[in-house]
Amino acid sequence: MIAAKTLRATLMALCLAGAGNAQQAADTVAPETGKVEGATSGNPVISENWMIVAAHPLASAAGARVLGEGGTAADAMVAVQLVLGLVEPQSSGLGGGAFLVWYDGETGALTTLDARETAPLAATPRLFQDAAGEPLKFFDAVVGGRSVGVPGTPMLLEEAHRRWGRANWTSLFTDAVHHADEGFVVSPRMAASISDNAETLGRFANTREYFLPGGVPLQAGDLLRNPEYAASLRAFANDGAAPFYTGEIAGQIVQAVTGTGGVLSPVDLALYRVKERPAVCAPYRGYDVCGMGPPSSGALSVGQTLGMLQGYDLGALGPSSVEAWRLIGDASRLAFADRGRYIADSDFVPVPVQGLLADSYLADRGALLAGDEALSKVTPGAPKFDHALLWADDAAIELPSTSHISIVDRYGNALSMTTTIENAFGARVMAGGFLLNNELTDFSFRSHSAGVPIANRVEPGKRPRSSMAPTIVLKDGAPVLILGSPGGSRIIPYVAKTVIAVLDWGLDVQAAVALPHLVNRWGGYDVEVGTSAETLAEPLRALGYDVTVRDLNSGLHVIAIGDGLQGGADPRREGLALGD
Ligand code: DON
């Protein structure tokens, strides 16, 4: 079995903080935003029955245990998320939110669940503005209770298990409770994240004591226990998600938020619901690329980018061609222009979902790419819409954290879930042994521009627009690719490019995730430092782009379904694919 062998090697690499396992955990010693040698090397993990790809070896191992014992992808996801919240606390957890895409092996149905955080009823469009109505500085808004939305992740775990689980609920807690009670080894990435954020983590007593015991940041290799998290897990195992929304843990959350400048109330928590939304699918090269609709911009913006590229032969151009990246980069810019104007929580503002993905609209937008140089100006289009289009462009900022989980089980179910607490360590405020999100800073800080309202402004009970793009690609209704990534708004180009890498360029999933990144959202081209992509920097400049060479810290976790299963984990992070 591939699982046990690979896991042992990787855990050893993590514990010794030595050279990373060449294939699946190549960046176990990389700093938080670092690049990894050999990022383009390695083969996918291959299996027959099931596959899990997640961001930390202990999380993947928990999922593999559940899958190996006959659990479903939903069961495994619960075990994985509970462990991630402990061992990758900078990225996701019970204080955050997530989007889940589910392909049902029995019925062939695709379901998307929205467990996005929600603004408190006391929040107003001025939440992130000063007395003069000017936007706060980003980190002034992030750190402390003001940015905390009602967490969705606990209810999502319960809901996914209720809908699709087979395993005994309490059995899904074994790994997380064990690691919380007995301790786990702090990974290099977690240690680097703590060190990078030491000042803000030090602002709140319980967060400081946990991450900087005695005032010293935890180091890679330290053994860390979390008895408070273990207690929350036991309550969750015994009573389901209720304690997080109406019970003791809800009280702890409200106290932590209101004690640090926020306005969350018990009523906000009690009102929270996971929402089933219609999946958003876009055709590409004979496949259907499906994912999460509003309040996420993920599936719409990935679908728009790909849709505009349909008329261009990217396969013939290949990944080393500057022409391919001109097309991809400008398609992405056009999609981001629409995103900034039209996409927000569709329960609050009408979103032209059909119009944005209409064939004729994307053909017209795609025709704008027909030139030879960078587009000099990119503006939002006018998709077909039965509402007035009086929205101003938004001004939201997103910075790194977040985690993606891809799972296929032995029953033919597939799960793609991106999970987040938004910024690294969220609001830096802890309750019940876990960190609370700062997801509300995904709203536009400005509510209006020149008197015109912004679709993604803060409103009570609204969910902030996301870029998370958990994706399942279907061929004739059956799943062939499960993928997603962290990366803030760069998630959209990371996911679109990975779909292109597999479908147009024929790369296997490990080569596709390792392929150097080139990202364009608003005009400037980001090129991944230390990779072969740097050779495209000058040619892109010659086409008229402003180019920045920098770290591009994706965490793409991908499974391809063909004759068997192939799993690929992003070498830029600590993830691991396990299969059997
Ligand atoms: O929902 C979103 O789009 C963001 N809060 C995700 C943040 C993120 O991916 C940061 N990742 N590295």
Side-chain angles (χ1 to χ4, degrees):
M1 158 159 156
I2 295 162
K5 197 173 65 201
T6 317
L7 178 63
R8 204 174 310 119
T10 306
L11 286 175
M12 204 170 288
L14 268 176
C15 295
L16 298 175
N21 175 297
Q23 185 173 314
Q24 288 89 19
D27 76 340
T28 51
V29 293
E32 172 70 12
T33 52
K35 190 67 195 69
V36 190
E37 258 180 63
T40 52
S41 66
N43 298 312
V45 171
I46 295 181
S47 68
E48 278 174 30
N49 300 309
W50 51 259
M51 179 77 73
I52 159 90
V53 195
H56 189 287
L58 292 176
S60 298
R65 179 186 64 75
V66 172
L67 292 165
E69 290 169 2
T72 66
D75 294 321
M77 176 279 288
V78 173
V80 169
Q81 177 65 79
L82 296 173
V83 173
L84 282 178
L86 180 70
V87 302
E88 198 200 29
Q90 65 274 21
S91 295
S92 76
L94 298 178
F99 295 120
L100 188 157
V101 185
W102 175 266
Y103 172 85
D104 197 284
E106 203 175 301
T107 65
L110 203 63
T111 305
T112 64
L113 295 182
D114 163 6
R116 185 71 163 163
E117 297 88 334
T118 301
L121 294 176
T124 74
R126 309 221 23 192
L127 186 70
F128 297 120
Q129 296 171 9
D130 64 18
E134 285 305 308
L136 297 179
K137 288 199 192 113
F138 185 66
F139 278 100
D140 290 347
V142 166
V143 180
R146 185 195 298 253
S147 63
V148 179
V150 180
T153 301
M155 201 177 285
L156 178 66
L157 302 198
E158 183 177 72
E159 178 76 15
H161 180 260
R162 189 184 63 71
R163 287 179 183 239
W164 304 303
R166 283 182 186 228
N168 178 296
W169 172 249
T170 52
S171 75
L172 306 177
F173 289 73
T174 317
D175 301 72
V177 168
H178 172 80
H179 298 314
D181 278 340
E182 302 301 321
F184 67 95
V185 176
V186 172
S187 77
R189 185 176 177 84
M190 177 174 162
S193 302
I194 294 170
S195 155
D196 286 352
N197 293 281
E199 189 277 314
T200 50
L201 291 171
R203 290 196 203 168
F204 306 109
N206 57 347
T207 313
R208 183 170 61 240
E209 278 153 28
Y210 185 63
F211 291 107
L212 305 131
V216 180
L218 289 166
Q219 304 292 308
D222 285 352
L223 190 72
L224 183 60
R225 294 188 177 82
N226 190 337
E228 267 194 79
Y229 189 64
S232 294
L233 291 176
R234 289 192 169 96
F236 199 3
N238 291 334
D239 302 323
F244 292 83
Y245 295 94
T246 51
E248 196 177 328
I249 302 171
Q252 293 170 20
I253 293 173
V254 169
Q255 202 179 12
V257 173
T258 52
T260 57
V263 292
L264 202 66
S265 78
V267 174
D268 293 313
L269 288 162
L271 286 176
Y272 188 82
R273 294 291 176 270
V274 169
K275 297 186 182 184
E276 182 174 337
R277 308 268 190 189
V280 167
C281 294
Y284 187 63
R285 314 273 190 230
Y287 295 81
D288 289 299
V289 180
C290 296
M292 193 72 222
S296 187
S297 57
L300 279 172
S301 302
V302 168
Q304 281 203 301
T305 307
L306 295 173
M308 286 180 249
L309 294 166
Q310 289 258 54
Y312 299 92
D313 191 353
L314 295 178
L317 291 169
S320 317
S321 138
V322 68
E323 173 65 359
W325 291 105
R326 180 188 69 77
L327 290 164
I328 295 168
D330 277 352
S332 169
R333 288 168 69 194
L334 289 163
F336 268 85
D338 280 354
R339 171 183 177 274
R341 181 155 303 175
Y342 300 119
I343 306 179
D345 184 346
S346 50
D347 290 344
F348 283 73
V349 297
V351 178
V353 171
Q354 267 84 40
L356 288 167
L357 289 178
D359 289 347
S360 56
Y361 178 66
L362 292 179
D364 286 351
R365 297 283 276 172
L368 300 174
L369 307 173
D372 299 318
E373 297 195 328
L375 291 177
S376 55
K377 191 157 184 271
V378 166
T379 51
K384 195 163 175 316
F385 196 21
D386 53 8
H387 286 76
L389 296 176
L390 281 180
W391 297 122
D393 297 339
D394 88 320
I397 305 166
E398 294 130 357
L399 289 173
S401 174
T402 306
S403 208
H404 184 80
I405 304 166
S406 292
I407 309 177
V408 172
D409 65 25
R410 67 181 71 218
Y411 312 105
N413 303 307
L415 176 148
S416 186
M417 169 167 147
T418 312
T419 173
T420 185
I421 54 170
E422 213 306 285
N423 199 250
F425 304 98
R428 279 65 165 176
V429 176
M430 288 183 94
F434 54 88
L435 284 154
L436 300 177
N437 69 85
N438 67 296
E439 218 69 50
L440 301 186
T441 61
D442 275 358
F443 282 117
S444 175
F445 284 22
R446 286 192 191 278
S447 45
H448 290 71
S449 175
V452 180
I454 290 169
N456 186 35
R457 66 189 181 282
V458 186
E459 295 182 76
K462 190 177 179 184
R463 300 182 177 200
R465 186 195 61 207
S466 174
S467 307
M468 293 193 290
T471 302
I472 296 184
V473 179
L474 305 172
K475 177 77 181 168
D476 301 326
V480 292
L481 203 59
I482 324 299
L483 74 158
S485 179
S489 59
R490 289 192 183 88
I491 291 170
I492 292 161
Y494 291 153
V495 168
K497 164 227 169 163
T498 306
V499 171
I500 291 167
V502 174
L503 300 187
D504 290 282
W505 297 332
L507 299 185
D508 70 49
V509 290
Q510 188 60 44
V513 300
L515 188 69
H517 289 307
L518 296 103
V519 168
N520 200 328
R521 295 164 294 168
W522 296 292
Y525 229 122
D526 297 330
V527 168
E528 189 171 10
V529 68
T531 70
S532 57
E534 284 198 38
T535 59
L536 291 170
E538 275 316 310
L540 286 169
R541 283 192 185 107
L543 292 182
Y545 295 102
D546 243 350
V547 176
T548 307
V549 177
R550 51 167 294 152
D551 271 333
L552 288 170
N553 199 16
S554 58
L556 283 153
H557 293 153
V558 187
I559 300 173
I561 307 176
D563 286 342
L565 303 172
Q566 286 194 354
D570 200 319
R572 301 165 187 84
R573 297 201 182 206
E574 294 171 343
L576 180 65
L578 295 174
D580 195 15

